[in-house]
């Protein structure tokens, strides 16, 4: 080959290598400048010009399940070039304007001003994303929430949770940290994913090399961290701070730490470079009501334990803390009782819940800070008892009439004592639901035995007969465990039944104002469910109506407000099976969840729709099927 040609090629290669070296030096100097970790959308500052499409197609990090781990973590998020000459092959697009997101208690909206001198559709897309704020916004909205989208931190490849030296530790906390490590990073936890720091240890909060890296989150539980079951009075307050390359979650009890971890997982999002990022945030949060529940019914259609656990996961992601479980109904008796096993053997539809199944569900709920309230409805909704135990169901002359318990027979109360004794050994929670709704008194009217009993006891109507049954049943439950709190449906109150003042009334019928007033006048606490009975899916999706409904909308004065414990979204079971339960509940129950948690003044539907749509996509990526909202939408399930 010609010597001159070789010499020319050598000179060209040397020049290219020198140019690349100078380019790398400029990038390095830009990364070492002060405040370069701040993402300046306004284009101001020495290191502020970045690509205009950085905020497009942002996804929560836990969604990236089909992308290899190396592809998620091997591209640097920060490709700012400072004042360096732009690469001609990739023109630099500066964005003029400013965006700052700050959300606090009350009706919230994005606060920002944008100039009109952007020059391409890319800038318009960025503007839309910035206004909508689809970048790790939490649901439900925290009580006090301040976030700065100009300050962004990238999660380090060795991101981990650290239990502080002053924190109490327990298995519940450790398992929660490992669970949320998977949600946030998409990787299986190792021994270094959750560590306990001793007092002698010290770790610099700033990672070497890149000042925009968040290496760990300090978690501190100051007072109570036990493996006991949560109580109705458990403290769920927490504080979450992300700033200056550090992050911390502080809570008084472990249940508050669980809620803080859920909020943290929602704040994390993924950039177009497949990097997990989080904005600066300052949060102090606590629930508005202590009873925030979902009711399911397994007596009409059997629900597999896997479906129930999946629903518990959805409840955790929406900060709900009560699963109201109606175990049996007219159609079947799937619960296996040790005292009366024939009830499930002869009255169930093959599938049953044994003691191990229920214990597994209760423990699964406990680890997520959820209490399980069992319901054994009586004297109505008991037709399935007929084949398992003789002489406890009235033999009505008309087979089309609904069956009801024979409340005049002592055998009935013996069976009830045995069943409730089994329930107390299986469900350790403080509250139990005795039902009392929709009693078919027509069957009592056709029974000669009931007529003779009422004549002997000088009872004038069937309301007095039901009152007799409720008093005896309440006495049995109190004798078995005096620490249990009783819950009844509002039908008991409507029928004039006298119950203890300490009993709780669950209001579920339409037009609840009269029932609310009556319950308060008699000194009962209230669980509100009237607007959230979700048995039927409406064609237009009614999430906005459910979102604006409030447990205190029918109360008058502070005295009535104090007796409202919270609310429940109820699915009675006629149309809820394994394939439809979750779609029936969610995202409608998510709307109810924010009403139960957030401040009363948070009622901005357009702003809530943006966050709820992100929450919907987040739950889908966490493998929870969920129904759509009003408008057409889609969820990007993969990193672009």
């Amino acid at each position: 080959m010609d010597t001159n040609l070789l010499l020319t090629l050598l000179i060209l290669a040397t020049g290219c290598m020198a140019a690349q070296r100078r380019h790398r030096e400029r990038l390095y100097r830009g990364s070492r400048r002060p405040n370069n970790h701040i993402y300046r959308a306004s284009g101001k500052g020495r290191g502020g010009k970045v690509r205009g499409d950085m905020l497009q197609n942002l996804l929560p990090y836990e969604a990236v399940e089909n992308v290899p781990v190396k592809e998620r973590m091997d591209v640097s998020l920060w490709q700012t070039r400072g004042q360096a000459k732009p690469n001609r092959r990739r023109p630099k697009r500066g964005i003029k304007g400013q965006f700052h997101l700050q959300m606090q208690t009350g009706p919230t909206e994005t606060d920002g001003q944008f100039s009109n001198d952007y020059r391409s559709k890319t800038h318009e897309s960025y503007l839309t994303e910035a206004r909508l704020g689809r970048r790790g916004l939490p649901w439900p909205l925290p009580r006090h929430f301040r976030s700065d989208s100009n300050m962004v931190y990238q999660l380090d490849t060795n991101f981990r949770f650290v239990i502080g030296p002053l924190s109490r530790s327990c298995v519940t906390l450790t398992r929660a940290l490992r669970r949320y490590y998977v949600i946030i990073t998409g990787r299986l936890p190792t021994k270094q994913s959750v560590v306990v720091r001793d007092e002698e240890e010290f770790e610099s909060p700033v990672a070497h090399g890149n000042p925009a890296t968040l290496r760990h989150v300090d978690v501190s539980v100051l007072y109570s961290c036990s493996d006991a079951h949560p109580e109705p009075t458990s403290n769920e307050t927490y504080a979450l701070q992300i700033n200056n390359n550090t992050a911390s979650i502080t809570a008084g009890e472990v249940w508050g730490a669980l809620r803080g971890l859920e909020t943290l997982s929602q704040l994390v999002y993924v950039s177009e470079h497949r990097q997990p990022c989080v904005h600066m945030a300052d949060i102090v949060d606590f629930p508005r009501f202590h009873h925030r529940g979902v009711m399911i019914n397994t007596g009409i259609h059997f629900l597999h334990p896997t479906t129930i656990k999946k629903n518990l996961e959805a409840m955790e992601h929406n900060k709900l803390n009560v699963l109201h479980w109606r175990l049996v109904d007219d159609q079947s008796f799937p619960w296996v009782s040790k005292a009366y096993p024939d009830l499930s053997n002869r009255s169930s539809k093959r599938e049953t819940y044994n003691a191990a199944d229920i214990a597994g569900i209760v423990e699964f709920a406990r680890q997520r800070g959820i209490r399980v309230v069992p319901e054994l409805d009586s004297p109505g909704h008991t037709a399935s008892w007929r084949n398992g135990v003789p002489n406890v169901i009235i033999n009505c002359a008309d087979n089309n009439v609904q069956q009801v318990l024979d409340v005049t027979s002592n055998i009935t109360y013996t069976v009830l004592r045995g069943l409730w004794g089994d329930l107390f050994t299986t469900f350790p929670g403080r509250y139990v639901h005795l039902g009392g709704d929709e009693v078919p008194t027509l069957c009592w009217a056709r029974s000669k035995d009931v007529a003779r009993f009422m004549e002997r006891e000088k009872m004038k109507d069937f309301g007095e007969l039901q009152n007799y049954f409720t008093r005896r049943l309440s006495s049995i439950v109190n004798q078995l465990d005096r620490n249990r709190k009783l819950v009844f449906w509002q039908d008991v109150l409507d029928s004039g039944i006298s119950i203890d003042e300490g009993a709780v009334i669950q209001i579920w019928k339409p037009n609840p104002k009269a029932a609310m007033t009556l319950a308060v006048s008699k000194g009962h606490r209230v669980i509100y469910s009237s607007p959230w009975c979700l048995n039927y899916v409406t064609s237009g999706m009614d999430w906005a109506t459910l979102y604006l409904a409030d447990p205190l909308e029918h109360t008058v004065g502070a005295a009535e407000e104090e007796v409202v414990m919270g609310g429940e979204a109820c699915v009675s079971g006629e149309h809820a099976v394994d394939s439809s339960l979750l779609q029936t509940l969610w995202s409608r129950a998510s709307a109810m969840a924010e009403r139960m948690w957030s401040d009363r003044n948070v009622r901005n539907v357009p702003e809530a729709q943006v966050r709820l749509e992100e929450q919907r996509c987040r739950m889908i990526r966490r493998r929870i099927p969920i129904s759509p909202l009003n408008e057409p939408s889609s969820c990007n399930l993969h990193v672009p």
Side-chain angles (χ1 to χ4, degrees):
M1 183 178 294
D2 191 358
T3 305
N4 294 332
L5 179 60
L6 290 175
L7 182 60
T8 302
L9 293 175
L10 179 61
I11 292 173
L12 291 175
T14 304
C16 292
M17 294 175 62
Q20 292 178 359
R21 182 173 64 256
R22 289 193 298 272
H23 181 63
R24 287 195 298 268
E25 290 176 355
R26 286 194 296 267
L27 289 178
Y28 177 76
R29 288 195 299 271
S31 67
R32 301 297 295 175
R33 288 167 182 155
N35 297 328
N36 193 56
H37 64 287
I38 298 178
Y39 177 47
R40 301 185 183 276
S42 63
K44 301 178 181 178
R46 299 175 60 188
K49 291 186 177 181
V50 294
R51 296 176 59 194
D53 55 354
M54 285 286 286
L55 296 183
Q56 296 183 32
N57 302 320
L58 300 179
L59 299 175
Y61 185 57
E62 65 271 16
V64 197
E65 298 179 353
N66 298 325
V67 180
V69 173
K70 292 183 179 180
E71 295 186 16
R72 303 179 198 174
M73 308 300 294
D74 61 354
V75 181
S76 175
L77 176 67
W78 308 112
Q79 298 183 1
T80 57
R81 295 181 174 87
Q83 297 297 326
K85 184 177 180 181
N87 190 340
R88 294 181 179 179
R89 295 183 179 180
R90 181 177 294 178
K92 190 176 359 178
R93 300 173 180 176
I95 302 175
K96 297 181 180 181
Q98 185 177 0
F99 172 68
H100 178 76
L101 175 65
Q102 187 171 11
M103 307 184 72
Q104 295 180 349
T105 300
T108 59
E109 58 184 15
T110 303
D111 179 22
Q113 295 178 350
F114 298 86
S115 60
N116 296 322
D117 58 352
Y118 47 82
R119 297 170 295 176
S120 68
K121 293 183 179 180
T122 301
H123 296 161
E124 295 178 3
S125 177
Y126 164 78
L127 180 63
T128 301
E129 290 291 330
R131 281 179 175 170
L132 293 179
R134 291 175 178 167
R135 297 176 298 166
L137 295 180
W139 187 277
L141 186 67
R143 302 298 291 269
H144 304 283
F145 178 28
R146 186 173 65 90
S147 178
D148 189 350
S149 62
N150 292 333
M151 302 180 66
V152 181
Y153 303 97
Q154 173 187 333
L155 269 62
D156 189 76
T157 55
N158 296 319
F159 173 82
R160 61 180 179 172
F161 289 108
V162 178
I163 301 177
L166 301 179
S167 173
R168 299 179 182 271
S169 183
C170 56
V171 177
T172 302
L173 178 62
T174 304
R175 289 181 177 177
L177 293 176
R178 294 174 66 87
R179 184 169 66 251
Y180 277 99
Y181 178 86
V182 177
I183 292 176
I184 292 174
T185 67
R187 303 191 299 267
L188 294 177
T190 64
K191 292 183 179 180
Q192 297 300 320
S193 301
V194 179
V195 298
V196 179
R197 182 185 298 174
D198 298 329
E199 295 183 4
E200 295 80 8
E201 295 183 4
F202 176 80
E203 183 176 358
S204 176
V206 180
H208 297 288
N210 191 350
T213 300
L214 183 63
R215 298 187 64 185
H216 64 268
V217 176
D218 289 319
V219 181
S220 298
V221 177
L222 302 180
Y223 304 116
S224 174
C225 187
S226 66
D227 298 320
H229 289 267
E231 295 289 338
T233 57
S234 294
N235 189 353
E236 297 177 280
T237 303
Y238 69 92
L240 170 61
Q241 291 184 331
I242 304 173
N243 199 5
N244 296 329
N245 306 98
T246 62
S248 64
I249 298 175
T250 306
E253 297 183 12
V254 64
W255 316 119
L258 296 184
R259 308 306 175 221
L261 288 170
E262 177 58 36
T263 300
L264 174 66
S265 72
Q266 296 179 5
L267 295 178
V268 177
Y269 67 95
V270 168
S271 72
E272 64 176 7
H273 299 289
R274 300 180 181 138
Q275 296 299 307
C277 304
V278 63
H279 294 150
M280 185 281 289
D282 189 0
I283 297 174
V284 177
D285 201 11
F286 51 91
R288 181 184 175 198
F289 296 100
H290 290 287
H291 189 105
R292 311 178 305 278
V294 165
M295 175 203 167
I296 60 174
N297 186 342
T298 57
I300 298 179
H301 297 290
F302 181 85
L303 298 176
H304 195 274
T306 303
T307 303
I308 298 177
K309 292 179 180 179
K310 184 64 66 174
N311 183 63
L312 289 169
E313 290 180 347
M315 293 174 61
E316 178 187 29
H317 300 327
N318 290 271
K319 295 187 176 70
L320 299 179
N321 66 344
V322 176
L323 176 66
H324 173 186
W325 186 359
R326 176 179 279 192
L327 289 163
V328 302
D329 212 310
D330 285 322
Q331 289 76 6
S332 67
F333 199 105
W335 166 48
V336 179
S337 169
K338 292 182 179 180
Y340 298 96
D342 287 342
L343 282 171
S344 57
N345 292 337
R346 299 179 181 180
S347 302
S348 66
K349 299 177 180 179
R350 299 180 183 177
E351 301 91 351
T352 58
Y353 304 103
N354 56 35
D357 295 330
I358 295 178
I361 293 172
V362 171
E363 175 61 18
F364 191 89
R366 186 200 67 81
Q367 293 180 11
R368 287 153 179 80
I370 299 174
R371 298 179 282 116
V372 181
V373 177
E375 178 185 350
L376 187 62
D377 198 1
S378 60
H381 294 278
T382 53
S384 61
W385 301 26
R386 183 170 187 170
N387 296 328
V389 179
N391 302 323
V392 296
I393 298 296
I394 294 291
N395 185 15
C396 298
D398 189 351
N399 292 330
N400 295 326
V401 177
Q402 288 182 318
Q403 309 297 303
V404 65
L405 286 181
D406 185 358
V407 298
T408 66
S409 173
N410 290 329
I411 299 177
T412 300
Y413 300 99
T414 302
V415 173
L416 286 171
R417 180 181 292 275
L419 293 176
W420 279 106
D422 284 349
L423 275 179
F424 287 165
T425 60
T426 308
F427 294 91
R430 183 67 59 89
Y431 285 87
V432 290
H433 208 300
L434 275 64
D437 66 318
E438 300 176 331
V439 178
T441 58
L442 183 60
C443 192
W444 282 340
R446 298 185 179 185
S447 172
K448 296 180 179 180
D449 294 335
V450 170
R452 286 192 292 267
F453 179 84
M454 293 180 64
E455 184 180 359
R456 184 173 67 249
E457 297 295 332
K458 298 181 180 180
M459 296 180 180
K460 299 179 181 179
D461 52 34
F462 297 118
E464 294 184 2
L465 181 63
Q466 187 177 354
N467 190 29
Y468 167 81
F469 168 79
T470 303
R471 288 202 314 270
R472 288 196 62 174
L473 176 60
S474 301
S475 177
I476 290 173
V477 174
N478 289 329
Q479 290 174 8
L480 292 172
D481 190 345
R482 292 190 174 276
N483 293 324
R484 303 281 180 156
K485 301 296 182 180
L486 310 185
V487 185
F488 296 91
W489 292 108
Q490 78 173 82
D491 306 58
V492 173
L493 203 62
D494 295 340
S495 301
I497 309 302
S498 61
I499 54 179
D500 296 336
E501 289 188 359
V504 179
I505 300 299
Q506 184 164 1
I507 298 177
W508 66 279
K509 294 181 179 180
N511 304 318
K513 186 174 182 179
M516 182 79 71
T517 303
L518 181 60
V520 172
S521 65
K522 292 184 176 295
H524 299 297
R525 289 177 297 169
V526 171
I527 298 173
Y528 189 61
S529 299
S530 293
W532 301 307
C533 291
L534 310 180
N535 296 329
Y536 303 97
V537 178
T538 58
S539 58
M541 286 307 300
D542 49 359
W543 77 268
T545 302
L546 303 176
Y547 179 77
L548 294 176
D550 194 284
L552 304 183
E553 60 189 356
H554 296 291
T555 58
V556 179
E560 292 189 6
E561 293 182 359
E562 291 179 356
V563 302
V564 179
M565 298 172 54
E568 287 183 6
C570 302
V571 178
S572 61
E574 287 84 354
H575 304 277
V577 295
D578 284 325
S579 59
S580 64
L581 173 69
L582 297 174
Q583 292 91 335
T584 302
L585 272 171
W586 312 98
S587 53
R588 304 159 86 196
S590 296
M592 184 272 300
E594 178 152 296
R595 184 61 50 232
M596 293 294 100
W597 182 279
S598 302
D599 189 86
R600 185 176 185 176
N601 295 323
V602 178
R603 301 176 64 84
N604 190 325
V605 173
E607 183 274 331
Q609 182 172 349
V610 174
R611 292 184 295 105
L612 184 56
E613 183 63 40
E614 182 180 4
Q615 173 74 349
R616 173 180 171 268
C617 294
R618 185 184 294 123
M619 294 176 67
I620 290 175
R621 287 189 291 267
R622 295 182 184 184
R623 300 175 183 268
I624 299 173
I626 183 171
S627 59
L629 303 183
N630 303 55
E631 300 177 357
S633 61
S634 64
C635 297
N636 294 325
L637 302 183
H638 306 283
V639 170

